[in-house]
Each structure stands twice: as C-alpha cells, then as structure tokens.
Amino acid sequence: MSKGVDVNLENVWIRFGEFVAVREANVNIKGGEFFSFLGPSGCGKTTILRAVSGFLEPSDGTIKIGGKDMAGIGPNKRPTALIFQNLALFPLMKVWENITFSLEVQGVGKADRRKRADELLEMIALSDQGEKLPSELSGGQKQRVAIARALCAEPDVLLLDEPLSALDLKLRQHMRTELREIQQRVGITFIYITHDQGEALTMSDKVAVMRAGIIDQIADGKSVYDDPATPFVASFVGENNVFRGKVKSIDGDMALIDTNRSGTLLARMASAAKGTLKVGDNAMMFIRPEACKIATDTSPAHNRLTAKVKNEEFEGQIYNVFLEGSEGKEIKMSLVNIGQQRLSARGSDLTLEYAPEQAVALPAGDLASE
Amino acid sequence: MGGIFRDFFDRNGAGLGIFLLVVVGFWVVILIILPQLSMLDFSFRHHLPPPEMGGPKDTYTIEHYKYLVLGAPGADTSYNVVDLGVFGRTLIAALFVTILDLVLCYPLAYYLGQSKGGGFVRVLVLLLIIPYWINEILRAFAFRIIFGESGVINEVLLTMGLIGSPIDFIRANIALYAGLGYAYILLMIFPIYNVIESLDRNQIEAARDMGAPWWRIHWRIVIPYAKPGISSGCTMVFMLSAGALAAPQILGGPSSLWFTQIIYQWFNQGGNWPRGAAFAIVLLLTCIVIVLSMMRLFKVKIGDIGK
C-alpha cells in the first residue's frame, strides 16, 4: 500500500453566501497520521472534509495533498477515499463488487477484481461473505466493507465522516480499536470527523477541536484534554467544572483566581494563558470531576472547597457526586469505584480538594453549550 | 383464507373493510374481468344480424382470428398482409414512442429526483402537469397546427433558411410520434422520479469519489436502482401508445393506420363486433407478452412495478 502523504490546509475559508462555515483554517497533517476533527454538529468539520475530498472548493486558501495544490481537481481525481456517515454502500451490488468498484472504474478485469476483493475480505475478516448483498450484513460488517471499499483504490488519504455514529456502544468501541489497527497496518493518512471526544482521543495522533468554523486547538489528545487552549475546548472535551473570576495574583505557572462564588482558588496557567493572562483579568478556571477528591483535612485552603451533597449517581466504574456550593454553584466530582461506601448523606457538608496542577486557568471566553 | 379475511377486517374495521372489498371487487370484477370476458366471448362468435343471434347459427368459431392472420378467404395473398403490417407497425411505433419517452424523461426525472425540492422544481412539475388539464383532442389538434405545412416549426425552419420547402411532418408520422410521446410523458417521469427521489445522494458521491465518470454512475448505480420505476413507466407508455386512438386518428399520416383504428372501424363502421373484439384481444395479449418478456429480459419482477 502507498505510504500516507501530507495534507495541508493553508488559510482556508469556506463560505456559503453570507454564512462562514470555515474561518481561516491552517492545518498541517503529516503523512501516516491519524488526525481527527472534533467538534459539535454544525461546527464546520464535515465541510472541511468535503473540501479535502473535493466535493466543494474552498472560497479562499489552498488545500494541498502530498504537497500538490488540489484547486480545480475533482473528487474522482484526488488520491483520497471517503467513508460516508451512512457508509453509502451500493445496495444492488454484491459485497465484493462494492469493494472493488474503484477497480471496475479503472477497467480492471473481473478475475483480478475478484482476487483483490478476496484479499480485502480476508483483511476485514469477511471471507466467504463476498457474494452477499450489503443488506444481508450486520452493522459492524457493513462498516468493515465500507473501509475495505475505500482502501481498495489504495488512496493516500482516507477520509472518515463519523462512520461509527450509527453503531451501538460496544461495537463502536470495538471498531475504534479496529480502525486504529487498520490505519497502523496500511500506514496511510486518516482524517477522521467526529463529535465524540472518546473516539477522537482514543484513536488520533492529533486532534483539531473546532467550534463555529474556527479551529481552537490542534494537539495530541492528552494535551487537548490536560492543557486546553480555550474555555471552549476545556468545556467541550470531557467534563469540567467551570469557575469564573478574576486573576488575583500570578506566581510562576500558578495563578490565584478570585472566583465569583467559590472563594479564592489556585490553578495552573494553561500554555495558551501564559503571557496573555494578567493580574486583574477576567479568567475561567476548570477542575475536572476526576481531579476532585474528598479532603480529610477540612481547614480552608486555596485548593479546597466545601459544598453540600446534592445527588449521587452510580455509573459502574465511577460514582458521580453532585455538590452544591455557595450561591447554588454546582460542582461535579467523580470517584473511582474501589469498593468504598457510597456517600448517601444528602444535604451533608463535604470538603473536596484537588491538586492545583490539575486545575487549569484560562482567559475568560465562550463555553461549549450543553 | 378465512384467516386472511379476519386479519383484513381486524386491521381495517368492518366499515372500511366492507367498503374496500365492495369497491375493489366492483372495479376488478364488473369493470375489468366481465367486460373482457364478454369481449373474449364475442371474438369467438360469428358476425350475425341481430335476429339470428342466439339462434342455431350462433356457434363458436375462430374465423376472426383466422381472418387477421390469413385474410379474407379467396384473397390473392396467403396472409392478411395489410392488417398484420399495421399490427406490426403499431407495435414497433409504440416501442419507439416508449424509448423516446424514456430517453427524454430519464434525465428530467433524475434532475427532479435529486435536486432537493426548491421553487424551481415545483414550477417545473407544475409546467409538466398543467398541459394535461387540456383535453386530449384539443392537444392533438394543437400538435397538428404546430407540425402543419405552415405551422410554427416549418415557419421557423424556413425563416432560418434551414430548409427550402416545408417538411410534411404529418405524412412522415413525426407529428404522430411527437404527439404520442408528449401525451404519456408524465406517466414516464413520475414513476422514475419517485424511485430516484429515494436514492441516497451519498451513493452517487461515493461513486464519484471512487473515480466513476457520470455515465458509469448512471449505468451502475442510478439505473439499476430506478429499474422498477423505469419498467412501470415503460409498461404504461407502451400499453397506452399501442392502444391510443385519438392521436393516430388526428395526427397520423394519410397512408398510415394505427391498429386501434382498424379495431375501431370493425366495431363502428363495419358493425362487426366479433371481428373488432378478436383484433382487440390479439393486441392486448401481444402487448402483455411483449411487456412480460421485456421484464424477463431486464430482470424486473412484476411485484417491483407496484413499488
């Protein structure tokens, strides 16, 4: 199989009339990378994918695949293959004909096509299913057929538009692993579109987080999660408790935030906040539910909070505890289930603490809407 | 059998159930089966003056079928060349009209089916439907005027200098084919449009993404998908063209007869109902055989047509 090639978006704008779907996107995807665009629906991620695949032209800017400008080159001439959200298998063609349609287009003879189909069917563990119609396959099998069909033409870049969204949870998790494995085996560039942060974080080398046409952050999954670039990223990727306030003092990497409702709290400055967040600025700080622990020492400190237990949810591997702080401030805490007693005393006071390095301070900005 | 009826009444209730049974039964039995059976019966009887009907001479015979094939007894040719010729020409012309309509309507139906609604499409559909408010005779005569020697088309061609003298579209049967083709355009467009409308656009884009040129997309994806619509459109256009009477009467050239006109003459001018009935039955059965064999050829199931 061909080695993956770079995909570069340089100053790409995509407008539909007055509406700006993608604003000044600059993305450099390295060959062989698993790159995800993560964002809520309507953020422009699918638009970017359609521009890369050639179904629409950017209003401004350049898209390069393998260093070559793609302007004016149609989807059928690009070294990309697209897997659609609904897979778009051809219902009236047999599975093997579906898989080798791109070869049929190239005029490859039937015997050779059949042979290639068998190879690909073996790769996706569906040997003997070639003569069936797509409607006779299960959801996961169809998924794999769509992947094989896209890989058949040996594209340099595989584009995936939320292909797992129609599957049930178990299968979805299984397919994540499988997709990642296939990507590592064939070594080509994968560009993956999703609104599911779990998918983006587990599979990708790099994640671009998008909101309303703007790319907020491009980084590996861990950085996106632990060191968000904007309040939107902090609140969209994973769950976060948000505290608004003003910066009281800064000491090295740490900032002391005078929160509106929860006293003065200490947080690490996010990389994006360094140099921009100043004393007296409006700030937001984020504490992940899993960063919260029950404090044994209840004396006041800049990393402790006292709140009332409101509700408790048991999720299996974790307990979610919902707390109500002063002036109704809601705080969520997640405790790993290690067999401890559940906290059932609703309305009782509880002091939680967190490691200040695990809390993140950022300049105030828009949050992801719930 | 009883189970089916119980199910049917359980699902629809007694009132609606009885209504459906009576209406459909009346339609199928009284309006379709019985008249056809009586025509079939007619076609096997002698042509007798009314007083002799039901008398000793009123026996079954195949003389009318024999007449269609062999001609009048004692004729100079051994086959009925005239009637059989008209019969063959009618079927070929109907086939031609069907193909013409398919070629015209498929792109239009594809466009209508794949564009996502919108004002323009609604206007287009309206423009297609409105001409059908005008009755068939009037439309046929309008075509006669358009295609006439001093009609619009000849005038335009003459003014542009493309032709030296007017073309006789009527004699060449062009007016007839155009008129028939036009008359059944909707019956071709709508079944195809209905099917194509439900075709997932992503399939077309997927094929394009895999490098398929437009003609292969149609050949491998759209046409196979639209096949039920295409066959139901073709069936209707073919049957109705072969059975048309007004358009051939008005638009046909002086030397060309449509088989239905011969049937009409036997019934009406000739007053020979048995012979007319025999000819009509032959036309009907031949059309059915042609349609069924076409469906077999293109691998369409009869159930698909109702889709």
Side-chain angles (χ1 to χ4, degrees):
Chain A
M1 291 241 168
S2 56
K3 207 69 194 141
V5 300
D6 290 7
V7 177
N8 306 91
L9 274 68
E10 291 166 8
N11 274 318
V12 170
W13 289 72
I14 299 169
R15 299 184 193 86
F16 298 112
E18 291 288 296
F19 176 73
V20 180
V22 175
R23 188 181 293 270
E24 213 188 343
N26 281 291
V27 186
N28 295 306
I29 302 169
K30 285 210 207 64
E33 217 168 40
F34 197 123
F35 191 98
S36 294
F37 284 93
L38 172 65
S41 53
C43 72
K45 53 192 196 301
T46 298
T47 309
I48 285 192
L49 197 77
R50 290 178 67 79
V52 174
S53 60
F55 285 111
L56 60 89
E57 287 283 328
S59 322
D60 256 315
T62 316
I63 293 173
K64 287 181 181 164
I65 299 177
K68 208 175 140 220
D69 189 351
M70 287 289 128
I73 298 178
N76 48 352
K77 298 276 191 296
R78 296 192 183 194
T80 56
L82 177 59
I83 296 181
F84 289 82
Q85 191 164 3
N86 65 357
L87 306 182
L89 295 177
F90 306 130
L92 300 172
M93 287 185 209
K94 287 172 183 164
V95 166
W96 79 268
E97 290 177 301
N98 258 287
I99 290 178
T100 54
F101 185 73
S102 54
L103 299 181
E104 184 188 321
V105 170
Q106 291 162 22
V108 176
K110 191 174 171 182
D112 289 337
R113 275 188 279 140
R114 190 65 231 229
K115 207 166 137 258
R116 180 87 176 105
D118 287 339
E119 283 167 28
L120 285 159
L121 281 166
E122 201 184 318
M123 185 193 88
I124 56 169
L126 285 179
S127 309
D128 314 333
Q129 312 278 328
E131 290 296 324
K132 288 190 176 170
L133 288 174
S135 55
E136 297 171 272
L137 301 182
S138 71
Q141 289 174 329
K142 281 184 202 159
Q143 192 76 55
R144 297 209 286 259
V145 170
I147 294 167
R149 184 176 74 172
L151 291 175
C152 182
E154 307 200 348
D156 295 325
V157 182
L158 190 64
L159 309 167
L160 303 100
D161 185 7
E162 309 211 23
L164 304 186
S165 54
L167 303 179
D168 59 56
L169 182 67
K170 270 266 176 335
L171 196 54
R172 203 155 62 214
Q173 282 168 344
H174 172 74
M175 286 306 297
R176 283 180 196 170
T177 325
E178 205 163 302
L179 265 180
R180 183 70 178 149
E181 271 172 22
I182 290 173
Q183 194 262 339
Q184 275 159 357
R185 199 156 6 138
V186 299
I188 62 171
T189 314
F190 271 43
I191 301 179
Y192 193 91
I193 296 295
T194 184
H195 65 271
D196 181 326
Q197 35 130 350
E199 279 177 17
L201 298 183
T202 44
M203 293 191 285
S204 325
D205 297 309
K206 282 262 176 70
V207 180
V209 185
M210 285 191 79
R211 106 181 115 117
I214 303 167
I215 298 174
D216 266 18
Q217 186 172 13
I218 302 176
D220 61 277
K222 188 162 166 56
S223 303
V224 166
Y225 195 81
D226 289 342
D227 191 17
T230 63
F232 174 81
V233 176
S235 53
F236 183 72
V237 181
E239 286 183 88
N240 244 326
N241 294 302
V242 190
F243 299 86
R244 293 161 201 269
K246 277 196 163 51
V247 181
K248 199 175 174 191
S249 68
I250 291 174
D251 177 19
D253 277 355
M254 306 305 285
L256 200 58
I257 314 280
D258 190 2
T259 67
N260 298 344
R261 293 188 282 184
S262 309
T264 327
L265 295 172
L266 199 56
R268 175 174 54 86
M269 305 248 282
S271 307
K274 284 176 196 163
T276 56
L277 193 60
K278 299 275 189 316
V279 174
D281 283 356
N282 284 324
M284 281 179 172
M285 64 168 282
F286 299 89
I287 308 174
R288 299 252 176 223
E290 69 271 17
C292 301
K293 287 192 284 286
I294 297 168
T296 39
D297 180 357
T298 55
S299 60
H302 289 321
N303 66 336
R304 288 199 193 114
L305 267 164
T306 301
K308 278 191 179 15
V309 176
K310 225 174 86 185
N311 200 6
E312 196 184 20
E313 259 174 26
F314 178 62
E315 226 181 73
Q317 83 273 34
I318 51 167
Y319 295 109
N320 291 318
V321 184
F322 295 92
L323 303 162
E324 193 176 316
S326 53
E327 296 173 51
K329 171 73 193 170
E330 273 192 40
I331 302 163
K332 184 180 176 183
M333 175 165 74
S334 298
L335 302 173
V336 177
N337 176 12
I338 46 170
Q340 74 270 42
Q341 282 289 308
R342 295 178 64 173
L343 311 153
S344 45
R346 272 189 207 170
S348 61
D349 272 346
L350 181 116
T351 303
L352 64 85
E353 65 180 4
Y354 63 91
E357 305 77 47
Q358 285 188 277
V360 175
L362 279 165
D366 293 337
L367 297 172
S369 50
E370 288 300 300
Chain B
M1 195 65 194
I4 294 174
F5 272 108
R6 207 167 312 121
D7 262 14
F8 178 76
F9 280 112
D10 283 348
R11 219 168 333 113
N12 298 304
L16 184 62
I18 289 169
F19 174 77
L20 285 172
L21 277 185
V22 168
V23 167
V24 173
F26 178 80
W27 181 46
V28 172
V29 178
I30 309 288
L31 297 182
I32 300 176
I33 296 180
L34 289 183
Q36 293 301 332
L37 281 180
S38 93
M39 277 296 146
L40 192 67
D41 180 63
F42 256 125
S43 74
F44 286 108
R45 290 186 183 273
H46 292 283
H47 177 43
L48 299 170
E52 289 186 34
M53 281 186 188
K57 281 190 180 168
D58 200 354
T59 51
Y60 284 112
T61 170
I62 57 163
E63 69 163 299
H64 307 296
Y65 293 94
K66 248 162 107 182
Y67 178 89
L68 174 60
V69 180
L70 303 173
D76 356 331
T77 48
S78 47
Y79 289 99
N80 187 352
V81 186
V82 178
D83 287 352
L84 285 178
V86 171
F87 181 63
R89 265 206 313 276
T90 301
L91 291 177
I92 290 167
L95 214 55
F96 172 75
V97 168
T98 309
I99 293 166
L100 178 80
D101 268 2
L102 179 60
V103 170
L104 284 176
C105 295
Y106 174 81
L108 204 57
Y110 175 76
Y111 174 78
L112 288 175
Q114 282 294 296
S115 55
K116 297 171 197 114
F120 179 67
V121 168
R122 274 201 298 276
V123 170
L124 207 60
V125 171
L126 213 59
L127 285 178
L128 283 169
I129 291 173
I130 286 178
Y132 289 84
W133 295 354
I134 299 160
N135 74 56
E136 198 188 354
I137 310 277
L138 213 59
R139 253 186 293 140
F141 275 109
F143 263 65
R144 221 190 144 85
I145 295 166
I146 296 169
F147 282 100
E149 295 222 13
S150 54
V152 184
I153 296 179
N154 270 320
E155 288 292 326
V156 170
L157 290 176
L158 281 171
T159 328
M160 285 168 70
L162 290 174
I163 50 170
S165 54
I167 299 170
D168 194 343
F169 290 113
I170 308 275
R171 186 174 293 276
N173 278 330
I174 289 173
L176 172 60
Y177 298 147
L180 280 173
Y182 177 71
Y184 306 120
I185 260 182
L186 282 189
L187 296 173
M188 187 64 94
I189 286 183
F190 281 108
I192 303 177
Y193 163 67
N194 270 336
V195 182
I196 288 184
E197 206 184 14
S198 66
L199 173 64
D200 172 19
R201 245 201 103 71
N202 283 349
Q203 283 184 25
I204 295 168
E205 292 203 337
R208 259 179 80 200
D209 189 53
M210 282 182 267
W214 66 268
W215 60 266
R216 192 185 289 275
I217 293 174
H218 282 277
W219 183 246
R220 289 289 275 148
I221 288 139
V222 187
I223 292 177
Y225 187 83
K227 219 158 68 175
I230 292 174
S231 42
S232 90
C234 286
T235 307
M236 284 196 278
V237 172
F238 177 74
M239 290 285 201
L240 290 172
S241 304
L245 183 62
Q249 201 88 283
I250 298 163
L251 292 169
S255 60
S256 79
L257 264 180
W258 210 249
F259 195 64
T260 46
Q261 287 171 282
I262 295 181
I263 297 173
Y264 180 77
Q265 280 167 9
W266 283 120
F267 271 108
N268 225 25
Q269 275 110 321
N272 190 341
W273 277 46
R275 185 153 295 168
F279 279 34
I281 296 271
V282 169
L283 180 65
L284 175 68
L285 290 180
T286 314
C287 285
I288 290 174
V289 168
I290 289 174
V291 166
L292 290 179
S293 46
M294 283 293 166
M295 281 167 57
R296 161 84 45 105
L297 185 66
F298 292 105
K299 299 195 179 80
V300 183
K301 292 188 206 76
I302 191 119
D304 289 345
I305 288 198
K307 276 182 186 170

